[in-house]
Every structure is written in structure tokens, then in C-alpha cells.
Amino acid sequence: DGGITQSPKYLFRKEGQNVTLSCEQNLNHDAMYWYRQDPGQGLRLIYYSQIVNDFQKGDIAEGYSVSREKKESFPLTVTSAQKNPTAFYLCASSIPGIRHGYTFGSGTRLTVV
Amino acid sequence: AQKITQTQPGMFVQEKEAVTLDCTYDTSDPSYGLFWYKQPSSGEMIFLIYQGSYDQQNATEGRYSLNFQKARKSANLVISASQLGDSAMYFCAMSPINTGNQFYFGTGTSLTVIP
């Protein structure tokens, strides 16, 4: 079955540490996205990539970094520069055309301890 | 600037009744898509329904229909014959055609279906 796999489902990070969230898709989608979800704030775009080896900042990119070396993979690194990283992180992918919605992964819940 | 507004933080509905979840949007783009997603407590986002800005008819998908009023910039979701499994967060989203499939989400509405 095609889909998006995010791992791990739960992640704990000590303050000052970098941590990487995995996102893998086997849908052959060109575009991939990372969103952050906080209670009462909906989803906010962190980074997106429309093709391999290219990505753009979203609305809240500060303190995050990404790479897109393969079409299937779009890992997100939460760096120590991110002041409030505790949140639910969702990865998504899509194909061109506004009629096509996103396919989402099941999310990673990151908690800073 | 793009903006999606969902003014109902929480809604309750009796099982088997219909419920309307409100969504208004603001964009200067003439062409855009409107979407509704369901997020159960497990966290995944499930696509429900799509409406194109130039579509003449309101979209329907099973028990879901989208009441699209372009002049009022509203895209309300109607769920008919509510089921207990409909209890979840519901998000309205918009994707203007010139933003490379970038989505803008509302803050969501928590729906609880009462037996």
C-alpha cells in the first residue's frame, strides 16, 4: 500500500539537542511538506520541497532545517535554535494540481524534556 | 495574504442529526481550491472533500457536502446523519493556484457526536 511513513511516533528531546524527524513516501509524489501543529493554532508550514534537491522556507522555518536528496525522503531537523519545539509535526506529500489534496503521514509528537 | 477562519472551536451534535461546520476564507487569488480534513484523536489528517473556486456546483462526498458561497467567501462543511465515529477535529484549508500547492489551514473545530 502506498502512503507516508513518519517516524518515530513519539520523540523526546533534551534542551540544546538537535533531533531529526523522518518522513518517507512511496507514492511517487514530487512535492513534500512539513507542518507544525500546536493546540488552537491549526497547521503552520515549516518547509516544503517541490523537487529533489530543492526546498523553500514556509511561514515558521526558523530553528528548522530540511534536506531532499531523494524523492521519497524529506527529513526535518529541529535544531537547538528552535525556542519552543514541543509540538505535533505532520509531513505531507502531493502531486501537481490544486484538485489534489495532500496525503498526510500519521505525525510525530515531539516533547522537550 | 491568505487567511482561513473557523469560528467554532467546539460543536456538539446528536447522533443521526446533521451539523454544519463554518469556514470563511480570504484571498486575492482568483483561482483556488478549498478542502476539508478530519483529524481523529490518533492524529492523522484524513481528506474529506474538495471544492474548486470555479466549480459551479457544490461538492458532495457521501455524507459530506460543501456549501460554497463564493461571494461571501465561505465554504461550510455539512455532515449529514452524524455517526459516533465523526467525533474529531475538522480543518478547513485553502490552496491558491499560484502558491505551488501550499495549503493554508484554519484553527479547526472539535466536533463531538452525542449518542
Side-chain angles (χ1 to χ4, degrees):
Chain A
D1 286 340
I4 298 181
T5 301
Q6 288 188 243
S7 61
K9 192 170 180 64
Y10 298 96
L11 189 57
F12 296 89
R13 188 196 93 173
K14 292 182 179 179
E15 287 199 31
Q17 283 184 339
N18 291 356
V19 65
T20 298
L21 282 59
S22 171
C23 178
E24 303 277 332
Q25 55 103 353
N26 60 3
L27 299 164
N28 201 33
H29 286 177
D30 290 312
M32 298 186 73
Y33 309 80
W34 274 106
Y35 282 86
R36 169 179 171 142
Q37 185 177 20
D38 295 281
Q41 292 194 45
L43 279 68
R44 293 181 291 167
L45 181 65
I46 305 172
Y47 268 99
Y48 65 103
S49 167
Q50 294 185 306
I51 56 172
V52 175
N53 292 322
D54 187 49
F55 48 83
Q56 286 78 41
K57 292 181 179 180
D59 299 321
I60 56 165
E62 186 175 349
Y64 299 97
S65 66
V66 293
S67 62
R68 188 86 187 277
E69 297 175 2
K70 300 186 300 181
K71 189 175 186 177
E72 302 80 14
S73 178
F74 191 41
L76 173 74
T77 296
V78 184
T79 74
S80 56
Q82 170 49 237
K83 299 304 178 191
N84 185 21
T86 295
F88 187 56
Y89 292 86
L90 281 160
C91 179
S93 70
S94 72
I95 57 176
I98 60 171
R99 286 196 171 269
H100 305 286
Y102 286 173
T103 300
F104 281 90
S106 55
T108 293
R109 191 166 299 279
L110 173 64
T111 303
V112 173
V113 296
Chain B
Q2 329 289 346
K3 187 175 180 182
I4 304 288
T5 303
Q6 293 180 253
T7 58
Q8 305 156 314
M11 291 280 287
F12 293 86
V13 64
Q14 204 75 36
E15 195 178 4
K16 300 180 185 176
E17 297 291 312
V19 62
T20 297
L21 306 184
D22 294 341
C23 173
T24 58
Y25 60 92
D26 192 17
T27 181
S28 56
D29 285 80
S31 183
Y32 48 89
L34 295 158
F35 301 79
W36 277 91
Y37 284 85
K38 173 183 178 181
Q39 187 179 41
S41 57
S42 54
E44 77 271 26
M45 297 281 280
I46 302 167
F47 167 75
L48 296 179
I49 196 166
Y50 162 83
Q51 177 83 44
S53 59
Y54 288 114
D55 292 344
Q56 294 298 315
Q57 293 192 334
N58 286 343
T60 59
E61 290 284 350
R63 294 186 299 110
Y64 304 109
S65 61
L66 199 152
N67 184 0
F68 180 46
Q69 298 187 44
K70 192 171 183 178
R72 296 175 123 184
K73 292 190 174 178
S74 82
N76 298 340
L77 177 70
V78 180
I79 305 174
S80 63
S82 296
Q83 302 172 356
L84 296 178
D86 293 336
S87 293
M89 283 290 292
Y90 288 81
F91 290 93
C92 180
M94 177 182 63
S95 181
I97 194 169
N98 294 321
T99 60
N101 235 29
Q102 195 175 141
F103 276 44
Y104 298 86
F105 288 84
T107 53
T109 295
S110 176
L111 177 66
T112 302
V113 181
I114 305 167

